[in-house]
Amino acid sequence: MRYLVLILFISFNTYAVEWSYKYSGYSDRSKLNLNSNNEAINFNNHGTWEDNLGNYGTAKCQGMFTIIDNKNDMNFYCEYIDQDNQKIIGKGIRKSDTNAGIGNMIIIDGDEKWKKIIGAECAYAIKYKDQAFFTAGKCKKIRKKSN
């Protein structure tokens, strides 16, 4: 019974802020071949995005990934600028295949109207066709209701 009361208390005092988006564009990569089949790759993605709230804009991401012993390790930062010139900044990681996969991003900064999603955790999927990429993501942040 205690657990039921605790669950009800938490659910009545919290709510989720959700944001989903689609981002597509083109990627530029430069590669450094390490020993054996290992690689270090820098990338710059740039394109356009739109979200479930009717916002749209331009975006760019840049980062690096390494392929060591056939294991991918990617870290990157993204900047989304909406139709009102308001920014959102995200920090992401991905350990899946370099040409497609799933990853995670956290929103680390945002201008005025985007402050409510700072700290949101995002899951995203990406796929590439040559230099073009297509991404869809969903972000969620649990917030405490104010009294």
Side-chain angles (χ1 to χ4, degrees):
M1 183 66 174
R2 281 189 221 171
Y3 296 114
L4 180 59
V5 171
L6 181 60
I7 290 170
L8 289 173
F9 177 76
I10 290 171
S11 64
F12 285 126
N13 287 301
T14 60
Y15 66 99
V17 174
E18 291 191 13
W19 180 60
S20 59
Y21 63 93
K22 289 187 177 183
Y23 167 36
S24 59
Y26 292 92
S27 183
D28 298 315
R29 295 181 182 187
S30 61
K31 183 175 15 175
L32 177 63
N33 291 316
L34 306 173
N35 58 1
S36 303
N37 290 327
N38 301 333
E39 300 173 324
I41 302 168
N42 288 310
F43 67 92
N44 289 296
N45 291 354
H46 52 281
T48 59
W49 64 273
E50 59 184 356
D51 69 13
N52 61 317
L53 305 174
N55 296 294
Y56 59 91
T58 59
K60 60 184 175 181
C61 298
Q62 63 183 54
M64 179 179 181
F65 59 96
T66 55
I67 302 170
I68 309 273
D69 297 327
N70 292 319
K71 294 181 182 172
N72 179 30
D73 187 15
M74 180 184 298
N75 293 288
F76 60 91
Y77 289 87
C78 293
E79 175 187 73
Y80 302 86
I81 301 175
D82 71 13
Q83 71 277 6
D84 300 319
N85 286 321
Q86 298 277 309
K87 283 185 188 180
I88 308 164
I89 306 293
K91 178 182 179 182
I93 59 169
R94 184 161 64 92
K95 296 189 181 291
S96 59
D97 186 280
T98 58
N99 292 319
I102 58 172
N104 295 298
M105 183 171 64
I106 187 164
I107 305 301
I108 60 171
D109 200 4
D111 287 340
E112 298 168 30
K113 75 178 184 183
W114 297 108
K115 290 204 180 290
K116 65 183 174 232
I117 67 167
I118 294 174
E121 296 178 5
C122 310
Y124 73 92
I126 189 168
K127 58 186 173 183
Y128 286 87
K129 169 65 173 114
D130 300 321
Q131 289 183 304
F133 66 88
F134 307 88
T135 305
K138 188 171 197 176
C139 306
K140 188 173 187 178
K141 180 177 181 183
I142 304 299
R143 296 181 58 118
K144 188 173 182 169
K145 290 182 181 177
S146 14
N147 296 329

